[in-house]
Amino acid sequence: MKLLRDFFLISQAMEEEDRYSKIIAGTMTWGSWGKQFSTAQMTDMIQYCFGMGLTTFDHADIYGDYTNEASFGTAFLQSGVPRDKVQLITKCGIQFDAETRPNRVKHYEYGKAYIISSVERSLKSLQTDYVDMLLLHRPSPLMHPGEIGEAIRTLQKAGKIRSFGVSNFSPSQIAVLETELPVMGNQVEFSLTADEVLYDGTLDDCLAHKRMAMSWSPLGAFFREKTERTARIRKAMEPMTEAYGASYDQLLLAWIMKHPANVYPVVGTATKERLADALKAATITMDLQDWFILHEASRGQEVP
């Protein structure tokens, strides 16, 4: 019986990954937290992504102080892009003080009623009948797997979410949830300059249980910070840019996509050219030793 269940979950996970574009468009900076796109600009960006084959869009209810989903929904409706040809991921659970949320303290909320109401708000904002994957945004020390399980099963039965996953969860936190229901994905911070998930069991867990591994901030601190670490990485990458005919961005993405967990980068840029570059990165197969050269440059020492 267990063997049959494991086979079913593995098959389901493989089908799950096949539905998403290898590069995921992160929408966090499309609205008031970044570019402040108008409806016309956001519509244009959606059409551009779709035309390139970038069909998966990552959201969270909190983005833009709880406004991004509605802006995207209006733009998507005007884009003419067929809903069944794209995949929408969204997250819930983080509560902070905003104009529409008069909270006294930042906290996490994962009660059954809240999860259901949050998804229903997201569906209304995104102007869609369902989301392809719902993620719990961050783990809460007070989350109860039974309560979460009831909410997710209710939403799935109603056809409002197609798949369920988490974000920023450890393997043990996922194991607690899986006493109630399968967890199909985990979106975590992973880059050449934030590689803890290589060693804390997170990516091992995704690989072992066929979870869809997603990386937020996949370029890490490389362009944001000038440190000894980023200088070492840049020096190590310089000859590789010519060897692969690739930019620094593309090599950073190719490095994380080399991992056998089949990581899907969530690329947060709102610039068309960089999105196009990101898609090209998916065609790069990085050499094994080049991967370790960059790993050594990041860590500042060779592997044991």
PDB file of all heavy atoms in Angstrom, residues 144-167:
ATOM      1  N   HIS A 144      -1.013  24.495  13.003  1.00  0.00           N
ATOM      2  CA  HIS A 144      -1.508  23.166  13.354  1.00  0.00           C
ATOM      3  C   HIS A 144      -1.786  22.402  12.064  1.00  0.00           C
ATOM      4  O   HIS A 144      -2.589  22.853  11.240  1.00  0.00           O
ATOM      5  CB  HIS A 144      -2.782  23.275  14.196  1.00  0.00           C
ATOM      6  CG  HIS A 144      -3.183  21.980  14.821  1.00  0.00           C
ATOM      7  ND1 HIS A 144      -3.675  20.915  14.086  1.00  0.00           N
ATOM      8  CD2 HIS A 144      -3.139  21.560  16.116  1.00  0.00           C
ATOM      9  CE1 HIS A 144      -3.933  19.902  14.890  1.00  0.00           C
ATOM     10  NE2 HIS A 144      -3.624  20.266  16.132  1.00  0.00           N
ATOM     11  N   PRO A 145      -1.143  21.266  11.853  1.00  0.00           N
ATOM     12  CA  PRO A 145      -1.308  20.549  10.585  1.00  0.00           C
ATOM     13  C   PRO A 145      -2.740  20.134  10.293  1.00  0.00           C
ATOM     14  O   PRO A 145      -3.167  20.136   9.135  1.00  0.00           O
ATOM     15  CB  PRO A 145      -0.389  19.332  10.737  1.00  0.00           C
ATOM     16  CG  PRO A 145      -0.172  19.175  12.209  1.00  0.00           C
ATOM     17  CD  PRO A 145      -0.212  20.565  12.765  1.00  0.00           C
ATOM     18  N   GLY A 146      -3.499  19.805  11.331  1.00  0.00           N
ATOM     19  CA  GLY A 146      -4.882  19.402  11.122  1.00  0.00           C
ATOM     20  C   GLY A 146      -5.734  20.536  10.581  1.00  0.00           C
ATOM     21  O   GLY A 146      -6.534  20.356   9.661  1.00  0.00           O
ATOM     22  N   GLU A 147      -5.536  21.712  11.142  1.00  0.00           N
ATOM     23  CA  GLU A 147      -6.279  22.902  10.710  1.00  0.00           C
ATOM     24  C   GLU A 147      -5.924  23.261   9.262  1.00  0.00           C
ATOM     25  O   GLU A 147      -6.791  23.554   8.434  1.00  0.00           O
ATOM     26  CB  GLU A 147      -5.931  24.065  11.637  1.00  0.00           C
ATOM     27  CG  GLU A 147      -6.754  25.307  11.386  1.00  0.00           C
ATOM     28  CD  GLU A 147      -7.824  25.534  12.441  1.00  0.00           C
ATOM     29  OE1 GLU A 147      -7.990  24.660  13.307  1.00  0.00           O
ATOM     30  OE2 GLU A 147      -8.489  26.568  12.372  1.00  0.00           O
ATOM     31  N   ILE A 148      -4.631  23.218   8.962  1.00  0.00           N
ATOM     32  CA  ILE A 148      -4.166  23.524   7.607  1.00  0.00           C
ATOM     33  C   ILE A 148      -4.688  22.483   6.627  1.00  0.00           C
ATOM     34  O   ILE A 148      -5.159  22.807   5.533  1.00  0.00           O
ATOM     35  CB  ILE A 148      -2.622  23.600   7.575  1.00  0.00           C
ATOM     36  CG1 ILE A 148      -2.146  24.818   8.368  1.00  0.00           C
ATOM     37  CG2 ILE A 148      -2.116  23.652   6.130  1.00  0.00           C
ATOM     38  CD1 ILE A 148      -0.660  24.847   8.644  1.00  0.00           C
ATOM     39  N   GLY A 149      -4.613  21.209   7.028  1.00  0.00           N
ATOM     40  CA  GLY A 149      -5.092  20.134   6.162  1.00  0.00           C
ATOM     41  C   GLY A 149      -6.561  20.289   5.803  1.00  0.00           C
ATOM     42  O   GLY A 149      -6.954  20.098   4.644  1.00  0.00           O
ATOM     43  N   GLU A 150      -7.370  20.654   6.772  1.00  0.00           N
ATOM     44  CA  GLU A 150      -8.807  20.845   6.515  1.00  0.00           C
ATOM     45  C   GLU A 150      -9.031  21.969   5.508  1.00  0.00           C
ATOM     46  O   GLU A 150      -9.858  21.858   4.601  1.00  0.00           O
ATOM     47  CB  GLU A 150      -9.536  21.170   7.825  1.00  0.00           C
ATOM     48  CG  GLU A 150      -9.730  19.963   8.737  1.00  0.00           C
ATOM     49  CD  GLU A 150     -10.545  20.333   9.964  1.00  0.00           C
ATOM     50  OE1 GLU A 150     -11.251  21.378   9.926  1.00  0.00           O
ATOM     51  OE2 GLU A 150     -10.483  19.589  10.966  1.00  0.00           O
ATOM     52  N   ALA A 151      -8.292  23.060   5.669  1.00  0.00           N
ATOM     53  CA  ALA A 151      -8.442  24.202   4.758  1.00  0.00           C
ATOM     54  C   ALA A 151      -8.045  23.826   3.338  1.00  0.00           C
ATOM     55  O   ALA A 151      -8.775  24.125   2.379  1.00  0.00           O
ATOM     56  CB  ALA A 151      -7.589  25.371   5.251  1.00  0.00           C
ATOM     57  N   ILE A 152      -6.919  23.161   3.203  1.00  0.00           N
ATOM     58  CA  ILE A 152      -6.419  22.824   1.860  1.00  0.00           C
ATOM     59  C   ILE A 152      -7.346  21.820   1.178  1.00  0.00           C
ATOM     60  O   ILE A 152      -7.658  21.952  -0.012  1.00  0.00           O
ATOM     61  CB  ILE A 152      -4.978  22.280   1.938  1.00  0.00           C
ATOM     62  CG1 ILE A 152      -4.030  23.333   2.546  1.00  0.00           C
ATOM     63  CG2 ILE A 152      -4.496  21.852   0.558  1.00  0.00           C
ATOM     64  CD1 ILE A 152      -4.046  24.680   1.855  1.00  0.00           C
ATOM     65  N   ARG A 153      -7.806  20.827   1.912  1.00  0.00           N
ATOM     66  CA  ARG A 153      -8.716  19.850   1.313  1.00  0.00           C
ATOM     67  C   ARG A 153     -10.025  20.511   0.875  1.00  0.00           C
ATOM     68  O   ARG A 153     -10.580  20.185  -0.183  1.00  0.00           O
ATOM     69  CB  ARG A 153      -8.982  18.707   2.297  1.00  0.00           C
ATOM     70  CG  ARG A 153      -7.819  17.728   2.413  1.00  0.00           C
ATOM     71  CD  ARG A 153      -8.200  16.493   3.212  1.00  0.00           C
ATOM     72  NE  ARG A 153      -8.435  16.804   4.617  1.00  0.00           N
ATOM     73  CZ  ARG A 153      -7.482  16.777   5.555  1.00  0.00           C
ATOM     74  NH1 ARG A 153      -6.237  16.463   5.232  1.00  0.00           N
ATOM     75  NH2 ARG A 153      -7.779  17.053   6.819  1.00  0.00           N
ATOM     76  N   THR A 154     -10.515  21.455   1.671  1.00  0.00           N
ATOM     77  CA  THR A 154     -11.738  22.188   1.309  1.00  0.00           C
ATOM     78  C   THR A 154     -11.532  22.965   0.014  1.00  0.00           C
ATOM     79  O   THR A 154     -12.379  22.946  -0.892  1.00  0.00           O
ATOM     80  CB  THR A 154     -12.147  23.152   2.445  1.00  0.00           C
ATOM     81  OG1 THR A 154     -12.429  22.392   3.629  1.00  0.00           O
ATOM     82  CG2 THR A 154     -13.378  23.963   2.059  1.00  0.00           C
ATOM     83  N   LEU A 155     -10.392  23.629  -0.097  1.00  0.00           N
ATOM     84  CA  LEU A 155     -10.090  24.438  -1.284  1.00  0.00           C
ATOM     85  C   LEU A 155      -9.865  23.569  -2.519  1.00  0.00           C
ATOM     86  O   LEU A 155     -10.317  23.902  -3.620  1.00  0.00           O
ATOM     87  CB  LEU A 155      -8.860  25.311  -1.017  1.00  0.00           C
ATOM     88  CG  LEU A 155      -9.068  26.456  -0.024  1.00  0.00           C
ATOM     89  CD1 LEU A 155      -7.731  27.003   0.461  1.00  0.00           C
ATOM     90  CD2 LEU A 155      -9.896  27.574  -0.651  1.00  0.00           C
ATOM     91  N   GLN A 156      -9.187  22.451  -2.325  1.00  0.00           N
ATOM     92  CA  GLN A 156      -8.952  21.556  -3.467  1.00  0.00           C
ATOM     93  C   GLN A 156     -10.253  20.913  -3.946  1.00  0.00           C
ATOM     94  O   GLN A 156     -10.490  20.795  -5.148  1.00  0.00           O
ATOM     95  CB  GLN A 156      -7.923  20.495  -3.094  1.00  0.00           C
ATOM     96  CG  GLN A 156      -6.508  21.046  -2.992  1.00  0.00           C
ATOM     97  CD  GLN A 156      -5.472  19.995  -2.667  1.00  0.00           C
ATOM     98  OE1 GLN A 156      -5.724  19.083  -1.855  1.00  0.00           O
ATOM     99  NE2 GLN A 156      -4.299  20.101  -3.247  1.00  0.00           N
ATOM    100  N   LYS A 157     -11.084  20.517  -3.001  1.00  0.00           N
ATOM    101  CA  LYS A 157     -12.368  19.917  -3.364  1.00  0.00           C
ATOM    102  C   LYS A 157     -13.232  20.902  -4.135  1.00  0.00           C
ATOM    103  O   LYS A 157     -13.970  20.518  -5.062  1.00  0.00           O
ATOM    104  CB  LYS A 157     -13.102  19.443  -2.107  1.00  0.00           C
ATOM    105  CG  LYS A 157     -14.368  18.650  -2.391  1.00  0.00           C
ATOM    106  CD  LYS A 157     -14.989  18.119  -1.104  1.00  0.00           C
ATOM    107  CE  LYS A 157     -16.257  17.321  -1.407  1.00  0.00           C
ATOM    108  NZ  LYS A 157     -16.871  16.798  -0.147  1.00  0.00           N
ATOM    109  N   ALA A 158     -13.121  22.185  -3.815  1.00  0.00           N
ATOM    110  CA  ALA A 158     -13.896  23.224  -4.496  1.00  0.00           C
ATOM    111  C   ALA A 158     -13.249  23.654  -5.810  1.00  0.00           C
ATOM    112  O   ALA A 158     -13.801  24.484  -6.533  1.00  0.00           O
ATOM    113  CB  ALA A 158     -14.054  24.437  -3.582  1.00  0.00           C
ATOM    114  N   GLY A 159     -12.069  23.100  -6.112  1.00  0.00           N
ATOM    115  CA  GLY A 159     -11.375  23.439  -7.352  1.00  0.00           C
ATOM    116  C   GLY A 159     -10.698  24.793  -7.322  1.00  0.00           C
ATOM    117  O   GLY A 159     -10.342  25.345  -8.376  1.00  0.00           O
ATOM    118  N   LYS A 160     -10.483  25.349  -6.122  1.00  0.00           N
ATOM    119  CA  LYS A 160      -9.910  26.696  -6.022  1.00  0.00           C
ATOM    120  C   LYS A 160      -8.383  26.689  -6.000  1.00  0.00           C
ATOM    121  O   LYS A 160      -7.764  27.708  -6.322  1.00  0.00           O
ATOM    122  CB  LYS A 160     -10.470  27.399  -4.793  1.00  0.00           C
ATOM    123  CG  LYS A 160     -11.974  27.653  -4.910  1.00  0.00           C
ATOM    124  CD  LYS A 160     -12.555  28.341  -3.700  1.00  0.00           C
ATOM    125  CE  LYS A 160     -14.058  28.593  -3.898  1.00  0.00           C
ATOM    126  NZ  LYS A 160     -14.666  29.265  -2.723  1.00  0.00           N
ATOM    127  N   ILE A 161      -7.792  25.577  -5.597  1.00  0.00           N
ATOM    128  CA  ILE A 161      -6.344  25.409  -5.738  1.00  0.00           C
ATOM    129  C   ILE A 161      -6.083  24.028  -6.322  1.00  0.00           C
ATOM    130  O   ILE A 161      -6.774  23.063  -5.997  1.00  0.00           O
ATOM    131  CB  ILE A 161      -5.582  25.584  -4.398  1.00  0.00           C
ATOM    132  CG1 ILE A 161      -5.991  24.515  -3.384  1.00  0.00           C
ATOM    133  CG2 ILE A 161      -5.794  26.969  -3.824  1.00  0.00           C
ATOM    134  CD1 ILE A 161      -5.133  24.536  -2.126  1.00  0.00           C
ATOM    135  N   ARG A 162      -5.106  23.960  -7.179  1.00  0.00           N
ATOM    136  CA  ARG A 162      -4.795  22.681  -7.821  1.00  0.00           C
ATOM    137  C   ARG A 162      -3.688  21.931  -7.104  1.00  0.00           C
ATOM    138  O   ARG A 162      -3.619  20.718  -7.177  1.00  0.00           O
ATOM    139  CB  ARG A 162      -4.432  22.910  -9.292  1.00  0.00           C
ATOM    140  CG  ARG A 162      -5.622  23.388 -10.114  1.00  0.00           C
ATOM    141  CD  ARG A 162      -5.380  23.280 -11.585  1.00  0.00           C
ATOM    142  NE  ARG A 162      -6.616  23.465 -12.336  1.00  0.00           N
ATOM    143  CZ  ARG A 162      -6.690  23.468 -13.658  1.00  0.00           C
ATOM    144  NH1 ARG A 162      -5.595  23.295 -14.386  1.00  0.00           N
ATOM    145  NH2 ARG A 162      -7.857  23.638 -14.263  1.00  0.00           N
ATOM    146  N   SER A 163      -2.811  22.668  -6.452  1.00  0.00           N
ATOM    147  CA  SER A 163      -1.695  22.025  -5.770  1.00  0.00           C
ATOM    148  C   SER A 163      -1.323  22.840  -4.547  1.00  0.00           C
ATOM    149  O   SER A 163      -1.622  24.038  -4.460  1.00  0.00           O
ATOM    150  CB  SER A 163      -0.505  21.903  -6.725  1.00  0.00           C
ATOM    151  OG  SER A 163       0.514  21.124  -6.156  1.00  0.00           O
ATOM    152  N   PHE A 164      -0.662  22.177  -3.590  1.00  0.00           N
ATOM    153  CA  PHE A 164      -0.327  22.814  -2.323  1.00  0.00           C
ATOM    154  C   PHE A 164       1.159  22.663  -2.031  1.00  0.00           C
ATOM    155  O   PHE A 164       1.741  21.591  -2.213  1.00  0.00           O
ATOM    156  CB  PHE A 164      -1.138  22.180  -1.186  1.00  0.00           C
ATOM    157  CG  PHE A 164      -0.660  22.563   0.188  1.00  0.00           C
ATOM    158  CD1 PHE A 164      -0.808  23.868   0.650  1.00  0.00           C
ATOM    159  CD2 PHE A 164      -0.048  21.633   1.011  1.00  0.00           C
ATOM    160  CE1 PHE A 164      -0.354  24.233   1.912  1.00  0.00           C
ATOM    161  CE2 PHE A 164       0.399  21.974   2.284  1.00  0.00           C
ATOM    162  CZ  PHE A 164       0.245  23.291   2.726  1.00  0.00           C
ATOM    163  N   GLY A 165       1.776  23.762  -1.592  1.00  0.00           N
ATOM    164  CA  GLY A 165       3.178  23.721  -1.219  1.00  0.00           C
ATOM    165  C   GLY A 165       3.469  24.727  -0.121  1.00  0.00           C
ATOM    166  O   GLY A 165       2.558  25.294   0.492  1.00  0.00           O
ATOM    167  N   VAL A 166       4.750  24.961   0.110  1.00  0.00           N
ATOM    168  CA  VAL A 166       5.179  25.858   1.180  1.00  0.00           C
ATOM    169  C   VAL A 166       6.327  26.731   0.677  1.00  0.00           C
ATOM    170  O   VAL A 166       6.864  26.508  -0.406  1.00  0.00           O
ATOM    171  CB  VAL A 166       5.630  25.074   2.433  1.00  0.00           C
ATOM    172  CG1 VAL A 166       4.463  24.311   3.038  1.00  0.00           C
ATOM    173  CG2 VAL A 166       6.782  24.116   2.095  1.00  0.00           C
ATOM    174  N   SER A 167       6.698  27.699   1.491  1.00  0.00           N
ATOM    175  CA  SER A 167       7.832  28.559   1.186  1.00  0.00           C
ATOM    176  C   SER A 167       8.621  28.787   2.462  1.00  0.00           C
ATOM    177  O   SER A 167       8.026  29.083   3.510  1.00  0.00           O
ATOM    178  CB  SER A 167       7.340  29.892   0.610  1.00  0.00           C
ATOM    179  OG  SER A 167       8.408  30.714   0.228  1.00  0.00           O
TER     180      SER A 167
END
